[in-house]
Amino acid sequence: MSKTNGILGMGYLEDFRQRILQNDYPGFLRIWEEYCYGDEVSGEELRQVLLDAKKADLAKQFGKHVEKGLTLWRKLTDKKYLHEVVKLILDIQNTNSDLLGEVAYNYLKETYGEDPLFQDKLRMLGLRSGGSFQGAISHYELLSHLQKGNYVFHSGGWGTCEIIDVSRIREEISLECDFVVGVKHLSYANSMKMLIPLSKEHFLTKRFGNPDLLEKEAKENPVQVIRMLLEDMGPKTAGEIKDELCDLVIPAAEWNRWWQNARSKIKKDTKIESPKELKDPFRLREEEVSHETTFYKNLEAKLDIAEVTQMVYSFLRDFPETLKNQEFKISLEARIQAVVSTQNITETQKLELFFLLEDLGIQKEYAPIKEAIVKCKNVSELIKSILIVAFKKRTLVLVRSLRKDWEAIFLDLLFNLDQSVLRDYILSELSQGEHAAKLKTRLTDLLIHPISYPDVYAWYFQKILEKKTLPFADKSGKSKFFEGFLILLDHAGSKPDSKDLAKRMAALITAERFKVVRDILQHSSLEEVKEFLLLATKCEILTDHDIKIFYSLAEVAYPSLAKGQKESSDAENIIWTTEEGYFKTQKRIQQIATIDTIQNAKEIEEARALGDLRENAEFKSALERRDRLQAELKFLSDQMNKARILTAKDVPSDSVGVGSIVDCTDSKGNKIRFTLLGPWDANPDQNVLSFQSKFAQAMKGKAVGEKFNFQNEVFIITDIHSFFEKK
């Protein structure tokens, strides 16, 4: 060929694909005509060109010119490509020319002439009647495949089907299919239009015919199943692979663990080409490609130093066996040394490349690494700018052994590194001997300002729960840190960019039936527990159920907080409320404290600007409004401190109490229903009464059948049930 380096090069394929992508049929046809006059032919390239064209929008136009490909077909020697190429030519063609008819007949005769049903099949293909014989070879193979127990794919939406019966007399088959209910019948003629034969080893055959066996294969050898999927179904993205396997083969509950294991093995497979981006598909290569070859191909792309460093590090981590190849090691070392000698390289980049050279094992300890760390003027910034976490850790270890100022560096980095594994190492070094005092001073800053270092605070709080020898790991220290933890939880829960942190913190609190809370409340003072309860109620990420458990645990630690254990005056002062009433009042307090108060302050300033405050009515009115707002805010705030959200457990079952719905009749026989709730939920228009009202107090404690008097009227209670039982 004039353009390609022949069988190895497949130089035209990308040009063809580019024209298909652009839907440029004139351009595609020009390349096709040039291609067909070539001296050499690659069977794989020709097959791939025809396969791509068959799937493209230009297939119908190409059908008029595909016949020229017979010239190339006749030059092929590999029987595999001889068969696949002529089959594709006949699939695409739509001229039904005499030449194509002759080729089709002769090829079928030569290949399948011994078939006892050969002539009948030719008739159905149209080769004997002079009609259309498009797809002659494909259709012949399908007709031969239509046997009981074989599998096919229905392109019209029935999915994978098993042939359960065949009638040659009626020229009809019966199918059981994936996506339709019951047995379906299809004529031979329609079968050739709609069905694709599937071998016994095809992925879809196994998935439909024996999914349990396929699941077993997938768990024992995930790479082999992925290979089968890609070979039979074509390139697939990770999402598309999940669609084909999740729940149909691998149970949904096991999918994430299975895919993580499969993905790590696929990455090391030399036959599967893994995508660089999530949106791109996995592909099955025609031939296996060594990891070294793939690596060098990727390395030859135009990459910056950071990308080269990350690529080499990942490769050496994932494929350490390649280091046994001495020639590969020497070649890679030369490439890295060439990058090191680059003029515009930073101190950090150079250090990372030094680590790579050390990992190559050319020298057991690469001397320039120590030299770079000793001479560095700002080690903290150096470590923070290193991209690879493993290199950060190695640098920290060397700083600890090489530099006298390591303590100050570690104290600075403790709050400024994101990775817990690095903080763990720094903490272990600073918590020893004489360094512990300075560590405690540094942690005191953290305790005072939990919001300044939210991730570090959450991390260290967990550390003192696990290890008793750390600063603030005693009972008093844990209580202090828990208070800050709740403050931080409230803060993180209200910030969109801190939601993940808030979820992790909430999970720590609620784990093992609130074990952390139980342990801390047991050794905290009553005042501390009250403060914890107040802070917990402000955390929006904690559910009402979580808050109730907080209160219950607090009551266990301090029975004086429990219902029934308080003085009667405290019990009488409880303000019962539903969740709706509670949040309504809370919203009103927020409205006063933020919007109303700010607006009032502006009113006062504007009125003050009018002058002569003694005769200034607007100023006096604004001051009066301020007094009303302050009084209302204080009143509601005091009530909120006494509020308790009503639960089903608080409602008595056999007598009238808060939360009861009471049916009664008056002396005239009129039936009336009253609902007794807290003052914030009262609605006289709907007979929802405050439990503190005189009418409610008159029926308090009464049972069904008992009477009570109110304002010279006698009522008889006929039924009592809970507010939480209403529909």
Side-chain angles (χ1 to χ4, degrees):
M1 291 186 178
S2 59
K3 179 177 179 178
T4 181
N5 59 357
I7 295 174
L8 297 177
M10 294 195 8
Y12 276 91
L13 184 57
E14 288 306 316
D15 284 347
F16 277 120
R17 285 178 170 168
Q18 190 64 29
R19 298 303 184 279
I20 290 173
L21 188 64
Q22 296 170 354
N23 200 23
D24 175 15
Y25 182 65
F28 180 91
L29 185 58
R30 284 195 301 272
I31 299 173
W32 174 248
E33 289 176 345
E34 177 187 339
Y35 185 68
C36 291
Y37 287 116
D39 300 326
E40 302 174 18
V41 59
S42 160
E44 176 56 29
E45 181 179 54
L46 179 55
R47 183 190 75 86
Q48 197 62 57
V49 169
L50 293 171
L51 194 60
D52 289 352
K54 180 183 175 181
K55 298 175 182 177
D57 293 337
L58 50 73
K60 188 173 181 180
Q61 294 169 283
F62 186 46
K64 299 175 183 178
H65 304 97
V66 70
E67 185 175 323
K68 291 182 180 180
L70 292 173
T71 305
L72 297 175
W73 172 67
R74 292 189 178 97
K75 295 178 182 180
L76 296 173
T77 56
D78 189 317
K79 288 185 177 180
K80 171 188 173 183
Y81 292 121
L82 274 167
H83 180 75
E84 292 186 13
V85 168
V86 73
K87 183 164 72 170
L88 284 166
I89 289 174
L90 289 166
D91 285 347
I92 297 169
Q93 71 86 21
N94 51 31
T95 61
N96 298 300
S97 70
D98 292 341
L99 175 60
L100 286 168
E102 182 181 354
V103 168
Y105 177 81
N106 290 337
Y107 185 82
L108 288 170
K109 179 69 175 176
E110 180 182 347
T111 309
Y112 304 108
E114 300 301 320
D115 184 352
L117 300 175
F118 182 70
Q119 293 299 327
D120 283 343
K121 291 176 183 176
L122 287 187
R123 172 182 55 80
M124 285 184 273
L125 295 175
L127 280 171
R128 287 175 53 184
S129 61
S132 171
F133 54 83
Q134 187 178 33
I137 297 176
S138 297
H139 291 160
Y140 190 98
E141 291 178 345
L142 174 65
L143 291 172
S144 300
H145 185 77
L146 297 182
Q147 298 180 31
K148 186 176 180 179
N150 282 349
Y151 290 83
V152 292
F153 181 80
H154 188 280
S155 59
W158 294 2
T160 306
C161 306
E162 181 183 4
I163 302 172
I164 61 172
D165 196 17
V166 178
S167 173
R168 291 195 177 90
I169 296 175
R170 296 194 306 271
E171 294 186 355
E172 182 182 80
I173 61 172
S174 300
L175 305 167
E176 284 187 351
C177 301
D178 208 351
F179 301 137
V180 291
V181 179
V183 176
K184 295 295 180 181
H185 306 285
L186 208 60
S187 68
Y188 279 11
N190 284 331
S191 294
M192 288 188 286
K193 296 177 182 177
M194 306 300 296
L195 300 183
I196 301 169
L198 301 176
S199 71
K200 294 288 186 184
E201 298 303 313
H202 195 282
F203 170 79
L204 292 177
T205 297
K206 290 189 173 185
R207 192 179 71 183
F208 182 73
N210 198 339
D212 291 338
L213 178 60
L214 185 58
E215 179 183 354
K216 183 173 182 292
E217 291 178 9
K219 290 181 177 179
E220 292 176 353
N221 194 341
V223 172
Q224 193 60 38
V225 170
I226 296 297
R227 279 192 182 191
M228 183 202 317
L229 170 61
L230 297 177
E231 182 175 10
D232 294 337
M233 307 290 287
K236 296 286 182 184
T237 64
E240 290 168 339
I241 291 174
K242 182 177 181 180
D243 291 341
E244 297 292 346
L245 290 173
C246 184
D247 230 16
L248 298 170
V249 178
I250 302 297
E254 302 175 20
W255 173 258
N256 288 337
R257 181 165 52 87
W258 181 87
W259 176 244
Q260 186 176 9
N261 174 53
R263 183 71 181 85
S264 64
K265 293 181 178 180
I266 291 170
K267 194 174 184 180
K268 297 183 179 182
D269 189 76
T270 55
K271 191 73 184 292
I272 299 174
E273 180 184 344
S274 296
K276 295 179 180 179
E277 296 184 19
L278 188 63
K279 64 179 182 179
D280 295 330
F282 291 84
R283 299 179 184 275
L284 196 64
R285 298 185 178 104
E286 288 296 323
E287 297 179 356
E288 296 197 20
V289 178
S290 70
H291 300 307
E292 293 92 333
T293 301
T294 303
F295 170 71
Y296 275 134
K297 181 180 177 181
N298 293 333
L299 203 59
E300 287 170 0
K302 293 182 178 179
L303 304 172
D304 60 30
I305 294 175
E307 290 174 321
V308 169
T309 303
Q310 184 64 59
M311 183 182 295
V312 175
Y313 170 76
S314 299
F315 181 81
L316 295 179
R317 179 196 61 199
D318 296 336
F319 308 108
E321 66 277 7
T322 58
L323 293 180
K324 296 176 182 178
N325 185 335
Q326 194 66 22
E327 183 180 347
F328 170 74
K329 285 174 60 175
I330 294 172
S331 172
L332 184 55
E333 180 194 16
R335 286 177 179 246
I336 296 175
Q337 290 284 15
V339 178
V340 170
S341 62
T342 304
Q343 291 183 351
N344 297 325
I345 190 170
T346 67
E347 188 177 11
T348 301
Q349 292 170 339
K350 185 175 289 187
L351 179 62
E352 290 181 311
L353 292 170
F354 287 165
F355 279 128
L356 292 177
L357 290 170
E358 185 174 77
D359 289 344
L360 284 174
I362 308 299
Q363 297 178 23
K364 188 174 181 181
E365 289 187 0
Y366 196 66
I369 294 176
K370 291 184 178 181
E371 183 180 349
I373 291 173
V374 170
K375 290 183 177 181
C376 183
K377 295 181 179 179
N378 193 333
V379 176
S380 292
E381 289 303 315
L382 174 70
I383 294 175
K384 284 188 280 187
S385 62
I386 293 174
L387 298 177
I388 298 170
V389 177
F391 291 171
K392 286 179 184 279
K393 175 67 179 294
R394 286 161 69 173
T395 306
L396 284 170
V397 173
L398 288 169
V399 167
R400 174 68 176 86
S401 63
L402 296 173
R403 296 191 60 120
K404 294 181 180 180
D405 59 347
W406 71 268
E407 181 188 68
I409 294 169
F410 277 31
L411 287 169
D412 173 61
L413 290 174
L414 181 62
F415 291 1
N416 291 289
L417 291 177
D418 296 330
Q419 297 80 14
S420 294
V421 64
L422 302 179
R423 295 194 205 113
D424 289 347
Y425 172 70
I426 291 174
L427 183 64
S428 67
E429 295 299 320
L430 289 175
S431 59
Q432 299 177 25
E434 60 186 14
H435 311 292
K438 290 186 179 180
L439 172 63
K440 186 169 185 178
T441 300
R442 186 79 169 116
L443 292 171
T444 301
D445 294 337
L446 182 66
L447 179 61
I448 296 171
H449 305 290
I451 296 175
S452 299
Y453 304 99
D455 288 290
V456 181
Y457 195 99
W459 162 78
Y460 190 71
F461 177 68
Q462 193 165 2
K463 286 296 170 185
I464 61 175
L465 297 176
E466 298 169 354
K467 195 172 182 180
K468 296 180 180 179
T469 57
L470 292 173
F472 299 103
D474 59 347
K475 294 179 180 180
S476 174
K478 288 179 181 178
S479 294
K480 292 176 181 177
F481 259 88
F482 187 55
E483 181 179 341
F485 189 86
L486 292 173
I487 292 171
L488 178 58
L489 180 60
D490 174 41
H491 174 79
S494 64
K495 303 293 182 182
D497 56 348
S498 300
K499 289 293 184 183
D500 288 341
L501 173 62
K503 289 177 181 178
R504 294 197 303 272
M505 294 174 68
L508 176 63
I509 286 179
T510 59
E512 299 182 55
R513 297 184 300 118
F514 290 76
K515 182 179 184 304
V516 170
V517 179
R518 281 187 278 115
D519 292 345
I520 289 178
L521 292 183
Q522 286 176 3
H523 55 66
S524 298
S525 69
L526 177 60
E527 292 306 313
E528 285 175 329
V529 172
K530 288 180 179 180
E531 183 66 18
F532 296 156
L533 293 176
L534 177 62
L535 292 171
T537 56
K538 294 173 62 181
C539 298
E540 295 182 2
I541 197 168
L542 296 177
T543 66
D544 291 336
H545 180 68
D546 294 336
I547 299 300
K548 290 171 186 175
I549 293 177
F550 249 95
Y551 272 88
S552 297
L553 294 175
E555 291 170 359
V556 171
Y558 286 94
S560 62
L561 296 174
K563 176 188 174 185
Q565 298 298 318
K566 297 180 182 181
E567 295 180 1
S568 59
S569 60
D570 288 338
E572 292 173 358
N573 286 332
I574 289 177
I575 297 177
W576 294 100
T577 179
T578 62
E579 288 185 4
E580 182 181 359
Y582 183 88
F583 290 119
K584 181 180 178 182
T585 304
Q586 190 179 58
K587 186 176 180 180
R588 176 55 186 158
I589 290 174
Q590 292 173 347
Q591 169 83 14
I592 296 172
T594 56
I595 299 173
D596 291 353
T597 301
I598 292 173
Q599 288 179 344
N600 178 243
K602 291 180 179 178
E603 291 172 356
I604 292 174
E605 289 304 312
E606 290 172 357
R608 191 190 304 274
L610 297 176
D612 193 359
L613 300 183
R614 292 172 298 176
E615 302 296 330
N616 191 330
E618 288 83 0
F619 180 74
K620 292 179 180 178
S621 176
L623 290 179
E624 289 172 357
R625 184 164 185 265
R626 182 184 65 182
D627 293 339
R628 289 195 303 272
L629 288 173
Q630 290 177 347
E632 183 181 1
L633 181 61
K634 184 178 185 306
F635 174 75
L636 291 178
S637 297
D638 290 340
Q639 285 198 317
M640 284 291 283
N641 291 332
K642 302 174 185 177
R644 177 166 173 172
I645 295 177
L646 190 67
T647 68
K649 293 181 180 179
D650 298 312
V651 182
S653 58
D654 54 359
S655 62
V656 176
V658 63
S660 295
I661 294 179
V662 184
D663 291 326
C664 53
T665 57
D666 60 15
S667 57
K668 299 177 183 178
N670 296 319
K671 295 181 179 180
I672 312 170
R673 169 172 286 186
F674 297 100
T675 301
L676 309 185
L677 296 174
W680 298 344
D681 301 287
N683 187 343
D685 292 338
Q686 298 180 9
N687 281 355
V688 179
L689 307 180
S690 168
F691 186 66
Q692 297 173 344
S693 67
K694 292 182 179 180
F695 190 88
Q697 290 296 310
M699 66 178 86
K700 175 183 176 182
K702 303 292 183 182
V704 173
E706 291 190 295
K707 299 179 181 179
F708 66 93
N709 297 315
F710 184 71
Q711 292 184 349
N712 299 321
E713 180 61 60
V714 178
F715 297 88
I716 300 176
I717 297 174
T718 59
D719 190 22
I720 302 171
H721 60 277
S722 172
F723 169 81
F724 295 95
E725 296 174 359
K726 71 174 185 177
K727 297 182 180 179

